[in-house]
Amino acid sequence: MNTELISIMDLSTESMKDLCRAAEIIRRGGLVVFPTETVYGLGADATNAEAAAKIFEAKGRPSDNPLIIHIAEPENAERYTYTNDTYFRLARAFMPGPLTVILPARECIPPETRASLPTVAVRCPEHPVARKLIELSGVPIAAPSANISGSPSPTKAKHVIDDMTGRVDMIIDGGDSEFGLESTIVKIDGDGSLTLLRPGKITVDDLRSVCPSVKIADAVKDKLKEGETVLSPGMKYRHYAPRAEVFLLDMDINSAAEYIRKRSKKCRVAAICYEEDLETVRDKAPGVTIYEFGKRGDELTQAHMLFDILRDADKKELDELYAPLPRAEGLGLALYNRMIRAAAYHIIRM
């Protein structure tokens, strides 16, 4: 497949011509990669079963992993799902934005899009190019992250070009993603409470400001139980992972640096380090590749950098990559969730 690459940084008259062509590709059942505020999405017509199947083929994605449908306006969810008061409270507070809500699906959303589940995940992105593309297409756009399944999600156009050239009809370069981790996903339970299935920029405390009862699904922090149904993207055992084996270190920085030094004598090693720890690691583990990860408490910066670091590690053909274990609360919970899966739950403690 020939993949067309275009750049759209704004909604100028010239850009609108390109977006109209992209929308036509969506309408005729093709695949378009587009920017969002979280990560790049691999888009197709969510109401077209054959188009949805192309997404799974392009990504190498398991068919039991449901897709998120993207809409241009929060109220458009009523066309494709059965909404409720809790949905609209969430929409008023967080949409457009990085929140995905799981709702009962209407019949116009085919089983191929929702992995044969009775529900579908709905999101109204904040990115102006994404929203305009959806509006011009006239259909909801099913869009997982635009990467090969299991690998780190793409936050830059170059990531998408590496993974999707020859697999999609068009790639829209919209610059770097603002946040860098996928959206928060919640399920509305029968009593109106929420269950958090995937953490993101919208935190548990943010959600509780709208809906006081928020449960955190076990699979956010732990492995999906054997036989447990995948209700949303990002719940698989090993996900977001580079080819190098990733380990999370739950120990003081001196012990961590010494451990990294010993491993560097046996194989090709790199370390992800907070700014405050750089000097210690450089002194104790000379010659080890080091990725600066921002200040210890700056989780917004860490979220923005994480997937780019994991992808760069692939280019260096590393054997092992070591990183600090994030805190599992606030915005740190989103980092914990992605990093624990990238590491396939390998935590080293002292």
Side-chain angles (χ1 to χ4, degrees):
M1 181 186 296
N2 291 323
T3 299
E4 181 181 2
L5 174 63
I6 61 173
S7 177
I8 300 180
M9 300 296 172
D10 54 39
L11 297 181
S12 64
T13 301
E14 198 60 36
S15 294
M16 289 299 291
K17 293 178 183 177
D18 287 332
L19 269 180
C20 285
R21 289 195 299 113
E24 175 57 30
I25 291 172
I26 295 290
R27 284 194 296 272
R28 69 168 188 252
L31 299 179
V32 175
V33 173
F34 61 96
T36 80
E37 71 276 18
T38 55
V39 300
Y40 273 79
L42 168 55
D45 179 356
T47 66
N48 182 330
E50 291 182 1
K54 290 180 182 178
I55 292 176
F56 289 93
E57 181 180 358
K59 281 179 63 74
R61 182 185 178 96
S63 61
D64 66 344
N65 203 355
L67 304 175
I68 294 173
I69 70 169
H70 294 65
I71 54 179
E73 300 293 340
E75 57 268 25
N76 292 352
E78 292 187 306
R79 302 175 188 173
Y80 314 111
T81 69
Y82 295 95
T83 56
N84 52 46
D85 289 342
T86 303
Y87 168 78
F88 283 107
R89 290 204 307 273
L90 291 167
R92 284 191 294 271
F94 305 117
M95 296 182 188
L99 177 68
T100 297
V101 182
I102 294 180
L103 295 165
R106 294 186 185 270
E107 290 185 1
C108 59
I109 303 299
E112 288 80 0
T113 299
R114 47 191 167 89
S116 297
L117 295 171
T119 56
V120 69
V122 180
R123 170 162 126 76
C124 178
E126 187 176 14
H127 198 290
V129 172
R131 293 183 70 197
K132 182 57 69 172
L133 175 62
I134 300 163
E135 179 188 325
L136 292 171
S137 299
V139 295
I141 296 182
S145 54
N147 57 300
I148 301 300
S149 186
S151 65
S153 297
T155 59
K156 301 174 183 288
K158 66 179 182 180
H159 300 161
V160 177
I161 292 167
D162 287 345
D163 279 15
M164 290 294 144
T165 298
R167 294 171 179 260
V168 300
D169 297 284
M170 178 182 283
I171 295 171
I172 300 174
D173 177 357
D176 292 358
S177 300
E178 178 185 353
F179 181 49
L181 298 181
E182 300 87 349
S183 61
T184 301
I185 300 180
V186 296
K187 178 172 68 75
I188 301 174
D189 297 317
D191 59 359
S193 64
L194 302 179
T195 298
L196 177 70
L197 299 179
R198 184 178 72 186
K201 187 176 183 181
I202 296 170
T203 66
V204 172
D205 285 343
D206 293 334
L207 294 168
R208 284 177 177 153
S209 71
V210 175
C211 184
S213 179
V214 180
K215 296 170 287 188
I216 300 175
D218 291 343
V220 167
K221 297 180 183 179
D222 300 312
K223 298 176 187 177
L224 199 68
K225 294 182 176 64
E226 188 173 348
E228 187 174 352
T229 301
V230 176
L231 296 177
S232 77
M235 295 181 73
K236 290 288 189 178
Y237 166 64
R238 191 170 190 264
H239 207 61
Y240 317 110
R243 287 185 288 274
E245 199 166 6
V246 180
F247 298 89
L248 301 181
L249 302 179
D250 185 17
M251 61 185 74
D252 68 85
I253 187 56
N254 288 296
S255 299
E258 179 62 21
Y259 188 90
I260 291 166
R261 184 192 68 79
K262 290 179 180 178
R263 292 302 303 163
S264 70
K265 303 298 182 184
K266 300 177 181 296
C267 58
R268 293 167 297 183
V269 167
I272 297 174
C273 296
Y274 298 129
E275 186 177 313
E276 299 92 328
D277 299 334
L278 289 172
E279 187 175 345
T280 300
V281 177
R282 285 180 181 138
D283 286 347
K284 291 182 175 292
V288 168
T289 298
I290 295 176
Y291 292 102
E292 185 177 337
F293 203 33
K295 292 185 181 297
R296 183 173 281 101
D298 189 358
E299 289 156 340
L300 273 174
T301 295
Q302 294 158 24
H304 184 75
M305 298 173 70
L306 177 62
F307 289 145
D308 191 39
I309 289 173
L310 296 182
R311 282 180 166 267
D312 189 75
D314 273 348
K315 293 179 180 178
K316 290 183 168 56
E317 297 184 345
L318 300 166
D319 297 309
E320 296 176 355
L321 177 62
Y322 291 88
L325 180 70
R327 68 186 188 116
E329 58 185 31
L331 187 55
L333 182 60
L335 284 161
Y336 183 96
N337 173 264
R338 302 321 191 271
M339 292 172 74
I340 199 76
R341 281 171 166 71
Y345 300 86
H346 293 148
I347 301 175
I348 300 172
R349 293 184 168 94
M350 283 190 181

